[in-house]
Amino acid sequence: MARTTRTKRGGNNGHGKARRESTAQSRTQTERPSDGSLHPPARTLAPSEARRPVAGGSSSEDYQRTFRELGCKDVVHLGIEQRADLLLDPPLELLEGADVFFFTGGAQLKITTRFAGTRLCSAVEEFYRRGGTVVGTSAGASVMADTMLVSGVSAETHKIGETLQMAPGLGFIRDVIIDQHFAERGRIGRLLGAVAQNPRFIGLGIDENTAIIVEREESFTVVGSGAVYVADAEDVTYTNVAEEERERTLSLFNVRLHVLSQGDSFDLRTRRPSHEFARTVEQKIDSSSHHPGNEVRH
C-alpha cells in the first residue's frame, strides 16, 4: 500500500548515472514548486515548475534498496493495514522534512479506501501543493487520476457487456484514466472501452519500466524503455456501447490513438503529441539529478 521512505540523498558517485536511468524507467514522481499555496491550482494555471511523473509498473519490488542506491539515506516505511489506523493516530510527523511520498503497487482500492479522505491524505496533498514530490507506481499510478480504472478483462477485444470497474482516485491529475502494465497485459481493449463510456477523459496506457512526467496538469513527457498509449475519444462519431446487446464487440469510430516513447510529449489541453529526441530527455534527467538530495518516503 502506501509506504513511506525518508531518505537523505548523498553525493553522486561513479554508478550514479546508470542507477538514475534505471530508476527513471521504473518509478513515478510528482513535483510542485514551493510557492506556499495551500489551494488546489487551477487546471491550466498551475506554476510552471510543477511536474508529476506517473509510472506504469516495475519488475523490481525492492524499493528501499533502489532508493538507497540512489543515495537516499533516510527511508521510512509506512504500512497501512486498516483505515482505522490512520483515523486514530495519523503519522503526520512523517512528512516533516520529507521530499517524496511514494505509493507502491498492489491494489488501487486498497490505497483509496484506506487512505483517501484521512488527515494524512490531506497532509500529503498539502505537502504536494507546497512543492513536495508524490510518486506512484502500478496501482499507485492509477490512483493519481480523479477517476481510476480498477478492473476489467485484459488481452481481449472489448465486449459491450464486459464490466469495467471504475472508481474515484486521489485526483492529482484530472480528466484522464490511467492503466498500467499496458502492453505486457494486453489492456488496449479495456482502455478503449473506458474512453468509449467516458469520451471526455483521455485514456493513458503506460507500459512497465515507463513513466510520464506531467507538467502543471497541462502536458506530459514520456521517459523509460516502453511506450505510453494515448486513447482519445473526444471526436468519436459513433459507438455502439449503449445500443447493442451485451455480447457484441465494441464499435468505436474516429477514435485517435497515439503511441509515445521516451522524449515524446502530449498536450492535455490541445490533445496533441509532440516529439523530442530520447537522448535529450536522458540528459535532462541526468542533469536534474545533480543536486543535494533530501528525504524520500514511500
Side-chain angles (χ1 to χ4, degrees), residues 11-17 19-20 69-71:
N12 298 307
N13 55 40
H15 302 291
K17 181 176 180 181
R19 288 169 178 167
R20 284 190 296 273
E69 286 178 349
L70 287 169

Side-chain angles (χ1 to χ4, degrees), residues 108-109 148-154 162-167 179 187 190:
Q108 292 94 301
L109 287 176
M148 61 184 186
L149 182 56
V150 177
S151 65
V153 177
S154 297
E162 289 173 351
T163 300
L164 291 176
Q165 183 183 5
M166 286 181 273
D179 207 352
R187 289 178 166 173
R190 78 179 196 177

Side-chain angles (χ1 to χ4, degrees), residues 5-242:
T5 314
R6 179 194 304 185
T7 311
K8 283 277 188 184
R9 264 183 162 180
N12 298 307
N13 55 40
H15 302 291
K17 181 176 180 181
R19 288 169 178 167
R20 284 190 296 273
E21 290 176 350
S22 173
T23 304
Q25 295 170 2
S26 65
R27 67 174 185 176
T28 62
Q29 125 189 2
T30 312
E31 298 179 2
R32 281 198 183 267
S34 300
D35 62 352
S37 173
L38 301 183
H39 303 287
R43 190 164 305 173
T44 58
L45 297 177
S48 59
E49 298 91 343
R51 297 187 301 168
R52 183 183 298 113
V54 180
S58 168
S59 58
S60 170
E61 297 296 322
D62 196 351
Y63 297 111
Q64 295 211 16
R65 185 190 64 183
T66 299
F67 281 126
R68 290 195 170 97
E69 286 178 349
L70 287 169
C72 300
K73 295 181 171 56
D74 185 10
V75 181
V76 179
H77 168 242
L78 170 65
I80 302 173
E81 297 302 326
Q82 300 291 335
R83 181 179 177 84
D85 297 336
L86 289 183
L87 296 176
L88 294 173
D89 187 22
L92 303 180
E93 69 281 356
L94 291 177
L95 291 171
E96 296 175 4
D99 293 303
V100 176
F101 193 93
F102 177 59
F103 290 99
T104 63
Q108 292 94 301
L109 287 176
K110 284 187 177 180
I111 296 175
T112 56
T113 58
R114 298 177 188 179
F115 185 76
T118 65
R119 287 178 59 200
L120 181 60
C121 184
S122 297
V124 170
E125 182 173 0
E126 180 178 325
F127 160 81
Y128 166 68
R129 305 297 179 198
R130 289 185 172 218
T133 297
V134 177
V135 180
T137 185
S138 191
S142 291
V143 301
M144 294 292 178
D146 52 1
T147 298
M148 61 184 186
L149 182 56
V150 177
S151 65
V153 177
S154 297
E156 295 181 12
T157 302
H158 186 70
K159 299 294 192 297
I160 293 174
E162 289 173 351
T163 300
L164 291 176
Q165 183 183 5
M166 286 181 273
L170 298 179
F172 288 102
I173 307 174
R174 301 173 179 88
D175 296 340
V176 301
I177 297 173
I178 297 170
D179 207 352
Q180 6 74 22
H181 307 284
F182 196 70
E184 292 78 7
R185 299 185 185 179
R187 289 178 166 173
I188 184 65
R190 78 179 196 177
L191 187 66
L192 289 173
V195 297
Q197 295 180 24
N198 303 274
R200 78 177 178 89
F201 291 124
I202 296 174
L204 303 179
I206 307 177
D207 285 351
E208 295 179 5
N209 298 317
T210 310
I212 61 173
I213 304 174
V214 180
E215 306 279 351
R216 307 184 307 274
E217 296 181 64
E218 296 177 358
S219 64
F220 67 79
T221 301
V222 178
V223 295
S225 60
V228 173
Y229 296 75
V230 181
D232 182 3
E234 184 181 47
D235 294 328
V236 161
T237 55
Y238 172 75
T239 178
N240 63 351
V241 71

